[in-house]
Amino acid sequence: MTDIKIGVIGLGYVGLPLARLFGTKFNTVGFDINEARVKELMTGVDATLEVEDDVLQAVLKSTNDDSNGLFCSFDSKDIEDCNYYVVTVPTPVDKNNRPVLTPLYKSSETVGSVLKKGDIVIYESTVYPGVTEDECVPVLERVSGLKFNKDFFVGYSPERINPGDKQHTVEKILKVTSGSTPEIGKKVDALYNAVIEAGTHLAPTIKVAEAAKVIENSQRDINIAFVNELAKIFNLMDINTHDVLEAAGTKWNFLPFKPGLVGGHCIGVDPYYLAQKAQELGYHPEIILAGRRLNDSMGSYVASEVVKLMLSNDIKVKGANVLVLGITFKENCPDVRNTKVVDVIKHLKEFGIEVTIFDPWIDAQEVAHEYGLTALTEAPQRTFDGVVHAVAHKEFLDMDLSKFKSSNAITYDVKGVLKGDVDGRL
């Protein structure tokens, strides 16, 4: 495998860790259209915090030569001589929760412009079954002028990156692989096997691999929706949901899911991809969409619970000041993509509440750009009528929240992990 040169398209939360890993064994070029992102990476700094600076610097090379290592570029000429292309661009949904394949189309055009005979294009982006062969391949053929499964080949290996997780890093998570022919499947599998310590699973077809990925997150979404519904029921009964789950968890086969806000680039999005395809085929997916509806409603539910607590403490709601701790979609990472904390904020504001956001992990400019919200990265020096613990960042767990609270202020713990007295929790 000494003649392999890999081009990784997209250097975000998925692409950079993978490109870094490939660079330890192969000559690798990381390509991204974001010039500022590329320039920052070439200094050995990753703003997403997915790859530690010393780890990134250890594999970086300053020139696009033939040696092993990682070179990052925003110029497509630098990926012209690659023979493996790995596409890791995002696959979001629009405001109506319909799949947006534009990033895949654009990246396929980029790859198609440099595609050569014998090249293999591997997609990692989460999609519904059929997208790789039915949507991406025609773009590759059109732009390159080459014939699929004759001049070039494709594979699919779904990403399994867990942002902020320093234990389950890319090389430690078993990788599903597939190819457009049995022979190509073996080549794709061997490529990943060379760097993935946890090993690989070669799926029989690309569609099987695509389906496996999209149901992984759909399954989690449905399970979380179930415990979110339990939380609503137990709150009406004045029963602590987390105590119930701890007791139930003593049974060996009980699944340990917790209630919460379900956002991010995977669990809060992927079920819509499967649902869209099912509906195109004339089937209405009842359980999948029911789970999505319930999880998407949790922001409104949390805001309503906070308002009820404020009223019970004789706090005038309109004009009240509430501090929201955390706006990322999960703890201990700066990723704000599809965060559902913004739903809580939106509904609190609809009650006339003044909201202050504090999150030490975020890029405040990104939050302003994506959501039009002002967020603090340093703790405010004032008190509030209420504190909503929305994200379980390590900085918040041992923080004395009383310094943010006025005399009769309430505390609502969305994550259910705060120690001491809180007025409400999911």
Short mmCIF file of all heavy atoms in Angstrom, two decimals, residues 308-365:
data_model
loop_
_atom_site.label_atom_id
_atom_site.label_comp_id
_atom_site.label_asym_id
_atom_site.label_seq_id
_atom_site.Cartn_x
_atom_site.Cartn_y
_atom_site.Cartn_z
N LYS A 308 -42.74 28.17 35.16
CA LYS A 308 -43.59 27.69 36.27
C LYS A 308 -42.87 27.83 37.61
O LYS A 308 -43.46 28.24 38.62
CB LYS A 308 -43.99 26.23 36.04
CG LYS A 308 -44.98 26.00 34.93
CD LYS A 308 -45.26 24.52 34.74
CE LYS A 308 -46.16 24.26 33.55
NZ LYS A 308 -46.37 22.80 33.33
N LEU A 309 -41.59 27.48 37.62
CA LEU A 309 -40.80 27.60 38.85
C LEU A 309 -40.67 29.06 39.27
O LEU A 309 -40.74 29.38 40.47
CB LEU A 309 -39.42 26.99 38.65
CG LEU A 309 -39.34 25.46 38.57
CD1 LEU A 309 -37.93 25.03 38.17
CD2 LEU A 309 -39.73 24.84 39.91
N MET A 310 -40.48 29.94 38.31
CA MET A 310 -40.37 31.36 38.62
C MET A 310 -41.67 31.89 39.21
O MET A 310 -41.67 32.63 40.21
CB MET A 310 -39.99 32.15 37.36
CG MET A 310 -38.59 31.81 36.83
SD MET A 310 -38.20 32.62 35.26
CE MET A 310 -38.07 34.33 35.78
N LEU A 311 -42.79 31.50 38.64
CA LEU A 311 -44.09 31.93 39.15
C LEU A 311 -44.32 31.40 40.57
O LEU A 311 -44.86 32.10 41.43
CB LEU A 311 -45.21 31.46 38.22
CG LEU A 311 -45.27 32.14 36.84
CD1 LEU A 311 -46.29 31.45 35.96
CD2 LEU A 311 -45.60 33.62 36.99
N SER A 312 -43.91 30.15 40.81
CA SER A 312 -44.09 29.57 42.15
C SER A 312 -43.23 30.27 43.19
O SER A 312 -43.53 30.19 44.40
CB SER A 312 -43.77 28.07 42.12
OG SER A 312 -42.38 27.86 41.90
N ASN A 313 -42.16 30.95 42.75
CA ASN A 313 -41.30 31.71 43.65
C ASN A 313 -41.63 33.20 43.66
O ASN A 313 -40.85 34.01 44.14
CB ASN A 313 -39.82 31.53 43.26
CG ASN A 313 -39.16 30.40 44.01
OD1 ASN A 313 -39.81 29.44 44.39
ND2 ASN A 313 -37.86 30.50 44.24
N ASP A 314 -42.81 33.51 43.10
CA ASP A 314 -43.29 34.90 43.05
C ASP A 314 -42.34 35.83 42.30
O ASP A 314 -42.17 37.00 42.67
CB ASP A 314 -43.53 35.44 44.47
CG ASP A 314 -44.66 34.71 45.19
OD1 ASP A 314 -45.64 34.35 44.52
OD2 ASP A 314 -44.53 34.48 46.41
N ILE A 315 -41.68 35.29 41.26
CA ILE A 315 -40.80 36.10 40.42
C ILE A 315 -41.60 36.59 39.22
O ILE A 315 -42.25 35.80 38.52
CB ILE A 315 -39.59 35.27 39.92
CG1 ILE A 315 -38.77 34.77 41.11
CG2 ILE A 315 -38.71 36.09 38.98
CD1 ILE A 315 -37.69 33.77 40.72
N LYS A 316 -41.61 37.88 39.01
CA LYS A 316 -42.29 38.44 37.84
C LYS A 316 -41.57 37.97 36.58
O LYS A 316 -40.38 38.25 36.41
CB LYS A 316 -42.31 39.96 37.90
CG LYS A 316 -43.08 40.60 36.75
CD LYS A 316 -43.05 42.12 36.84
CE LYS A 316 -43.78 42.73 35.64
NZ LYS A 316 -43.73 44.21 35.67
N VAL A 317 -42.26 37.26 35.72
CA VAL A 317 -41.63 36.64 34.56
C VAL A 317 -41.22 37.67 33.50
O VAL A 317 -40.07 37.69 33.05
CB VAL A 317 -42.56 35.59 33.93
CG1 VAL A 317 -41.98 35.06 32.62
CG2 VAL A 317 -42.78 34.45 34.91
N LYS A 318 -42.14 38.54 33.12
CA LYS A 318 -41.81 39.52 32.09
C LYS A 318 -40.75 40.50 32.61
O LYS A 318 -40.93 41.12 33.65
CB LYS A 318 -43.06 40.28 31.66
CG LYS A 318 -42.82 41.20 30.46
CD LYS A 318 -44.12 41.81 29.97
CE LYS A 318 -43.86 42.69 28.74
NZ LYS A 318 -45.11 43.29 28.21
N GLY A 319 -39.65 40.56 31.90
CA GLY A 319 -38.56 41.43 32.30
C GLY A 319 -37.56 40.78 33.24
O GLY A 319 -36.56 41.40 33.62
N ALA A 320 -37.83 39.51 33.62
CA ALA A 320 -36.90 38.80 34.50
C ALA A 320 -35.60 38.50 33.75
O ALA A 320 -35.57 38.45 32.52
CB ALA A 320 -37.53 37.50 34.98
N ASN A 321 -34.55 38.31 34.52
CA ASN A 321 -33.24 37.98 33.95
C ASN A 321 -32.87 36.55 34.28
O ASN A 321 -32.86 36.17 35.46
CB ASN A 321 -32.17 38.93 34.50
CG ASN A 321 -32.35 40.35 34.01
OD1 ASN A 321 -32.05 40.66 32.87
ND2 ASN A 321 -32.87 41.23 34.88
N VAL A 322 -32.56 35.78 33.24
CA VAL A 322 -32.20 34.37 33.41
C VAL A 322 -30.84 34.11 32.78
O VAL A 322 -30.58 34.56 31.66
CB VAL A 322 -33.28 33.45 32.79
CG1 VAL A 322 -32.77 32.01 32.70
CG2 VAL A 322 -34.56 33.51 33.60
N LEU A 323 -30.00 33.37 33.49
CA LEU A 323 -28.69 32.97 32.98
C LEU A 323 -28.76 31.55 32.46
O LEU A 323 -29.18 30.63 33.18
CB LEU A 323 -27.65 33.05 34.10
CG LEU A 323 -26.24 32.54 33.77
CD1 LEU A 323 -25.60 33.39 32.67
CD2 LEU A 323 -25.37 32.52 35.02
N VAL A 324 -28.38 31.35 31.21
CA VAL A 324 -28.32 30.01 30.62
C VAL A 324 -26.86 29.58 30.56
O VAL A 324 -26.04 30.24 29.93
CB VAL A 324 -28.95 29.99 29.21
CG1 VAL A 324 -28.72 28.63 28.53
CG2 VAL A 324 -30.44 30.30 29.29
N LEU A 325 -26.56 28.47 31.23
CA LEU A 325 -25.20 27.96 31.27
C LEU A 325 -24.99 26.94 30.17
O LEU A 325 -25.53 25.82 30.23
CB LEU A 325 -24.92 27.32 32.64
CG LEU A 325 -24.96 28.25 33.85
CD1 LEU A 325 -24.79 27.46 35.14
CD2 LEU A 325 -23.89 29.32 33.74
N GLY A 326 -24.26 27.33 29.12
CA GLY A 326 -23.95 26.43 28.03
C GLY A 326 -24.87 26.59 26.84
O GLY A 326 -26.09 26.74 26.99
N ILE A 327 -24.26 26.58 25.63
CA ILE A 327 -25.08 26.65 24.41
C ILE A 327 -24.61 25.65 23.37
O ILE A 327 -25.23 25.49 22.32
CB ILE A 327 -25.08 28.08 23.82
CG1 ILE A 327 -26.19 28.22 22.74
CG2 ILE A 327 -23.70 28.47 23.28
CD1 ILE A 327 -26.39 29.62 22.25
N THR A 328 -23.52 24.92 23.62
CA THR A 328 -23.08 23.88 22.68
C THR A 328 -24.07 22.72 22.71
O THR A 328 -24.88 22.60 23.64
CB THR A 328 -21.67 23.36 23.05
OG1 THR A 328 -21.72 22.78 24.37
CG2 THR A 328 -20.65 24.47 23.01
N PHE A 329 -24.00 21.84 21.71
CA PHE A 329 -25.00 20.77 21.66
C PHE A 329 -24.69 19.66 22.65
O PHE A 329 -25.56 18.85 22.97
CB PHE A 329 -25.13 20.21 20.23
CG PHE A 329 -24.26 19.03 19.91
CD1 PHE A 329 -24.68 17.74 20.16
CD2 PHE A 329 -23.00 19.22 19.36
CE1 PHE A 329 -23.87 16.65 19.85
CE2 PHE A 329 -22.20 18.14 19.05
CZ PHE A 329 -22.63 16.85 19.30
N LYS A 330 -23.44 19.62 23.18
CA LYS A 330 -23.10 18.63 24.19
C LYS A 330 -21.97 19.18 25.04
O LYS A 330 -21.37 20.21 24.72
CB LYS A 330 -22.71 17.29 23.57
CG LYS A 330 -21.43 17.34 22.75
CD LYS A 330 -21.06 15.97 22.23
CE LYS A 330 -20.67 15.02 23.35
NZ LYS A 330 -20.13 13.75 22.84
N GLU A 331 -21.65 18.48 26.11
CA GLU A 331 -20.67 18.97 27.05
C GLU A 331 -19.23 18.83 26.56
O GLU A 331 -18.91 17.95 25.76
CB GLU A 331 -20.80 18.23 28.40
CG GLU A 331 -20.48 16.74 28.36
CD GLU A 331 -21.66 15.88 27.94
OE1 GLU A 331 -22.71 16.45 27.56
OE2 GLU A 331 -21.53 14.64 27.99
N ASN A 332 -18.40 19.74 27.04
CA ASN A 332 -16.95 19.70 26.86
C ASN A 332 -16.50 19.66 25.40
O ASN A 332 -15.55 18.96 25.05
CB ASN A 332 -16.35 18.50 27.63
CG ASN A 332 -16.72 18.53 29.10
OD1 ASN A 332 -16.82 19.60 29.69
ND2 ASN A 332 -16.95 17.37 29.69
N CYS A 333 -17.20 20.39 24.56
CA CYS A 333 -16.78 20.58 23.18
C CYS A 333 -17.37 21.89 22.67
O CYS A 333 -18.39 22.34 23.19
CB CYS A 333 -17.18 19.40 22.29
SG CYS A 333 -18.87 19.45 21.69
N PRO A 334 -16.73 22.53 21.68
CA PRO A 334 -17.20 23.83 21.21
C PRO A 334 -18.25 23.77 20.10
O PRO A 334 -18.60 24.80 19.54
CB PRO A 334 -15.91 24.48 20.70
CG PRO A 334 -15.09 23.33 20.20
CD PRO A 334 -15.42 22.16 21.10
N ASP A 335 -18.75 22.59 19.79
CA ASP A 335 -19.64 22.39 18.65
C ASP A 335 -21.04 22.93 18.94
O ASP A 335 -21.73 22.45 19.85
CB ASP A 335 -19.71 20.89 18.34
CG ASP A 335 -20.32 20.59 16.98
OD1 ASP A 335 -20.89 21.51 16.38
OD2 ASP A 335 -20.22 19.44 16.53
N VAL A 336 -21.48 23.91 18.17
CA VAL A 336 -22.82 24.49 18.36
C VAL A 336 -23.78 24.11 17.24
O VAL A 336 -24.90 24.64 17.17
CB VAL A 336 -22.75 26.03 18.49
CG1 VAL A 336 -21.97 26.44 19.72
CG2 VAL A 336 -22.15 26.67 17.23
N ARG A 337 -23.38 23.18 16.39
CA ARG A 337 -24.25 22.80 15.27
C ARG A 337 -25.56 22.19 15.77
O ARG A 337 -25.56 21.25 16.57
CB ARG A 337 -23.53 21.80 14.36
CG ARG A 337 -22.40 22.38 13.55
CD ARG A 337 -21.69 21.31 12.76
NE ARG A 337 -21.06 20.31 13.63
CZ ARG A 337 -20.48 19.20 13.21
NH1 ARG A 337 -20.48 18.91 11.92
NH2 ARG A 337 -19.91 18.37 14.07
N ASN A 338 -26.66 22.73 15.30
CA ASN A 338 -27.99 22.21 15.61
C ASN A 338 -28.21 22.06 17.12
O ASN A 338 -28.87 21.12 17.56
CB ASN A 338 -28.21 20.84 14.92
CG ASN A 338 -29.66 20.41 14.95
OD1 ASN A 338 -30.57 21.23 14.83
ND2 ASN A 338 -29.90 19.12 15.12
N THR A 339 -27.66 22.97 17.92
CA THR A 339 -27.88 22.89 19.35
C THR A 339 -29.31 23.25 19.70
O THR A 339 -29.87 24.23 19.18
CB THR A 339 -26.91 23.80 20.12
OG1 THR A 339 -27.26 23.79 21.50
CG2 THR A 339 -26.94 25.23 19.61
N LYS A 340 -29.92 22.47 20.57
CA LYS A 340 -31.30 22.71 20.95
C LYS A 340 -31.42 23.64 22.15
O LYS A 340 -32.55 23.97 22.57
CB LYS A 340 -32.00 21.38 21.24
CG LYS A 340 -32.15 20.50 20.00
CD LYS A 340 -32.88 21.22 18.88
CE LYS A 340 -32.99 20.40 17.61
NZ LYS A 340 -33.67 21.13 16.53
N VAL A 341 -30.27 24.08 22.69
CA VAL A 341 -30.33 25.08 23.75
C VAL A 341 -30.95 26.38 23.20
O VAL A 341 -31.62 27.11 23.92
CB VAL A 341 -28.92 25.35 24.32
CG1 VAL A 341 -28.99 26.41 25.43
CG2 VAL A 341 -28.30 24.08 24.86
N VAL A 342 -30.74 26.63 21.91
CA VAL A 342 -31.32 27.84 21.31
C VAL A 342 -32.85 27.79 21.35
O VAL A 342 -33.50 28.84 21.39
CB VAL A 342 -30.82 28.07 19.86
CG1 VAL A 342 -29.32 28.28 19.84
CG2 VAL A 342 -31.22 26.93 18.95
N ASP A 343 -33.43 26.59 21.35
CA ASP A 343 -34.89 26.48 21.46
C ASP A 343 -35.35 26.93 22.85
O ASP A 343 -36.38 27.60 22.98
CB ASP A 343 -35.34 25.04 21.21
CG ASP A 343 -35.16 24.61 19.77
OD1 ASP A 343 -34.81 25.47 18.94
OD2 ASP A 343 -35.35 23.41 19.48
N VAL A 344 -34.59 26.54 23.88
CA VAL A 344 -34.91 26.96 25.24
C VAL A 344 -34.85 28.49 25.32
O VAL A 344 -35.76 29.13 25.85
CB VAL A 344 -33.92 26.34 26.25
CG1 VAL A 344 -34.23 26.85 27.66
CG2 VAL A 344 -33.98 24.82 26.20
N ILE A 345 -33.78 29.05 24.78
CA ILE A 345 -33.59 30.51 24.80
C ILE A 345 -34.72 31.23 24.06
O ILE A 345 -35.28 32.22 24.54
CB ILE A 345 -32.22 30.87 24.19
CG1 ILE A 345 -31.10 30.31 25.06
CG2 ILE A 345 -32.08 32.37 24.02
CD1 ILE A 345 -29.73 30.33 24.40
N LYS A 346 -35.05 30.70 22.89
CA LYS A 346 -36.13 31.31 22.09
C LYS A 346 -37.44 31.35 22.87
O LYS A 346 -38.13 32.40 22.91
CB LYS A 346 -36.32 30.51 20.80
CG LYS A 346 -37.54 30.91 19.99
CD LYS A 346 -37.81 29.93 18.86
CE LYS A 346 -39.13 30.23 18.17
NZ LYS A 346 -39.47 29.20 17.15
N HIS A 347 -37.80 30.25 23.51
CA HIS A 347 -39.08 30.20 24.22
C HIS A 347 -39.05 31.02 25.50
O HIS A 347 -40.08 31.60 25.89
CB HIS A 347 -39.46 28.75 24.50
CG HIS A 347 -39.86 27.98 23.28
ND1 HIS A 347 -41.04 28.21 22.61
CD2 HIS A 347 -39.21 27.01 22.57
CE1 HIS A 347 -41.12 27.41 21.55
NE2 HIS A 347 -40.03 26.67 21.50
N LEU A 348 -37.90 31.10 26.17
CA LEU A 348 -37.80 31.97 27.34
C LEU A 348 -38.02 33.43 26.93
O LEU A 348 -38.72 34.18 27.62
CB LEU A 348 -36.42 31.82 27.99
CG LEU A 348 -36.15 30.53 28.76
CD1 LEU A 348 -34.70 30.48 29.24
CD2 LEU A 348 -37.10 30.40 29.95
N LYS A 349 -37.44 33.80 25.79
CA LYS A 349 -37.61 35.18 25.31
C LYS A 349 -39.06 35.47 24.93
O LYS A 349 -39.53 36.60 25.06
CB LYS A 349 -36.69 35.42 24.11
CG LYS A 349 -35.21 35.54 24.49
CD LYS A 349 -34.36 35.90 23.27
CE LYS A 349 -32.93 36.16 23.67
NZ LYS A 349 -32.09 36.60 22.53
N GLU A 350 -39.79 34.46 24.47
CA GLU A 350 -41.19 34.66 24.12
C GLU A 350 -42.04 35.01 25.35
O GLU A 350 -43.11 35.60 25.22
CB GLU A 350 -41.74 33.41 23.43
CG GLU A 350 -41.21 33.22 22.01
CD GLU A 350 -41.69 31.94 21.35
OE1 GLU A 350 -42.33 31.12 22.06
OE2 GLU A 350 -41.43 31.76 20.15
N PHE A 351 -41.56 34.61 26.53
CA PHE A 351 -42.23 34.97 27.79
C PHE A 351 -41.82 36.36 28.28
O PHE A 351 -42.24 36.79 29.35
CB PHE A 351 -41.93 33.94 28.88
CG PHE A 351 -42.68 32.65 28.73
CD1 PHE A 351 -42.05 31.53 28.22
CD2 PHE A 351 -44.01 32.55 29.09
CE1 PHE A 351 -42.73 30.32 28.10
CE2 PHE A 351 -44.71 31.36 28.97
CZ PHE A 351 -44.07 30.24 28.46
N GLY A 352 -40.95 37.05 27.50
CA GLY A 352 -40.50 38.37 27.90
C GLY A 352 -39.31 38.35 28.83
O GLY A 352 -39.00 39.36 29.49
N ILE A 353 -38.62 37.23 28.90
CA ILE A 353 -37.46 37.08 29.78
C ILE A 353 -36.20 37.57 29.07
O ILE A 353 -36.00 37.29 27.88
CB ILE A 353 -37.30 35.61 30.20
CG1 ILE A 353 -38.49 35.19 31.07
CG2 ILE A 353 -35.98 35.37 30.94
CD1 ILE A 353 -38.53 33.71 31.39
N GLU A 354 -35.35 38.28 29.80
CA GLU A 354 -34.04 38.69 29.29
C GLU A 354 -33.05 37.56 29.56
O GLU A 354 -32.87 37.15 30.71
CB GLU A 354 -33.58 39.97 29.99
CG GLU A 354 -34.50 41.16 29.78
CD GLU A 354 -34.50 41.65 28.35
OE1 GLU A 354 -33.45 41.47 27.67
OE2 GLU A 354 -35.52 42.19 27.90
N VAL A 355 -32.43 37.04 28.51
CA VAL A 355 -31.56 35.87 28.64
C VAL A 355 -30.09 36.26 28.45
O VAL A 355 -29.74 36.94 27.48
CB VAL A 355 -31.93 34.78 27.62
CG1 VAL A 355 -30.99 33.58 27.72
CG2 VAL A 355 -33.38 34.33 27.83
N THR A 356 -29.25 35.81 29.38
CA THR A 356 -27.80 35.95 29.26
C THR A 356 -27.21 34.55 29.08
O THR A 356 -27.56 33.63 29.82
CB THR A 356 -27.19 36.61 30.50
OG1 THR A 356 -27.72 37.92 30.65
CG2 THR A 356 -25.66 36.69 30.39
N ILE A 357 -26.35 34.39 28.09
CA ILE A 357 -25.74 33.08 27.79
C ILE A 357 -24.27 33.10 28.21
O ILE A 357 -23.53 34.02 27.85
CB ILE A 357 -25.84 32.76 26.29
CG1 ILE A 357 -27.28 32.87 25.79
CG2 ILE A 357 -25.27 31.38 25.99
CD1 ILE A 357 -27.40 33.01 24.29
N PHE A 358 -23.86 32.08 28.94
CA PHE A 358 -22.46 31.95 29.33
C PHE A 358 -21.97 30.55 28.95
O PHE A 358 -22.52 29.55 29.39
CB PHE A 358 -22.29 32.18 30.84
CG PHE A 358 -20.97 31.76 31.40
CD1 PHE A 358 -19.77 32.06 30.74
CD2 PHE A 358 -20.89 31.06 32.61
CE1 PHE A 358 -18.54 31.66 31.25
CE2 PHE A 358 -19.67 30.67 33.13
CZ PHE A 358 -18.50 30.98 32.46
N ASP A 359 -20.93 30.50 28.11
CA ASP A 359 -20.35 29.22 27.71
C ASP A 359 -18.86 29.42 27.43
O ASP A 359 -18.48 30.05 26.44
CB ASP A 359 -21.03 28.67 26.46
CG ASP A 359 -20.67 27.22 26.19
OD1 ASP A 359 -19.50 26.85 26.42
OD2 ASP A 359 -21.56 26.46 25.77
N PRO A 360 -17.98 28.89 28.29
CA PRO A 360 -16.54 29.08 28.11
C PRO A 360 -15.93 28.30 26.96
O PRO A 360 -14.76 28.51 26.62
CB PRO A 360 -15.96 28.61 29.46
CG PRO A 360 -16.95 27.59 29.95
CD PRO A 360 -18.29 28.10 29.50
N TRP A 361 -16.71 27.42 26.33
CA TRP A 361 -16.17 26.56 25.27
C TRP A 361 -16.38 27.14 23.87
O TRP A 361 -15.73 26.69 22.93
CB TRP A 361 -16.82 25.18 25.34
CG TRP A 361 -16.27 24.33 26.43
CD1 TRP A 361 -16.61 24.35 27.76
CD2 TRP A 361 -15.27 23.32 26.30
NE1 TRP A 361 -15.88 23.42 28.45
CE2 TRP A 361 -15.05 22.77 27.59
CE3 TRP A 361 -14.54 22.81 25.22
CZ2 TRP A 361 -14.13 21.75 27.82
CZ3 TRP A 361 -13.62 21.79 25.45
CH2 TRP A 361 -13.42 21.26 26.74
N ILE A 362 -17.24 28.10 23.72
CA ILE A 362 -17.67 28.48 22.37
C ILE A 362 -16.85 29.62 21.76
O ILE A 362 -16.13 30.32 22.45
CB ILE A 362 -19.16 28.87 22.35
CG1 ILE A 362 -19.46 29.94 23.44
CG2 ILE A 362 -20.05 27.67 22.57
CD1 ILE A 362 -19.49 31.33 22.95
N ASP A 363 -16.99 29.74 20.46
CA ASP A 363 -16.52 30.91 19.73
C ASP A 363 -17.73 31.84 19.65
O ASP A 363 -18.70 31.55 18.95
CB ASP A 363 -16.05 30.50 18.33
CG ASP A 363 -15.56 31.67 17.49
OD1 ASP A 363 -15.96 32.82 17.79
OD2 ASP A 363 -14.82 31.45 16.52
N ALA A 364 -17.67 32.95 20.37
CA ALA A 364 -18.83 33.85 20.46
C ALA A 364 -19.25 34.38 19.09
O ALA A 364 -20.44 34.58 18.82
CB ALA A 364 -18.51 35.01 21.40
N GLN A 365 -18.27 34.58 18.19
CA GLN A 365 -18.59 35.07 16.85
C GLN A 365 -19.38 34.02 16.07
O GLN A 365 -20.27 34.36 15.29
CB GLN A 365 -17.31 35.44 16.11
CG GLN A 365 -16.62 36.69 16.65
CD GLN A 365 -15.42 37.09 15.82
OE1 GLN A 365 -14.77 36.24 15.18
NE2 GLN A 365 -15.10 38.37 15.81
#
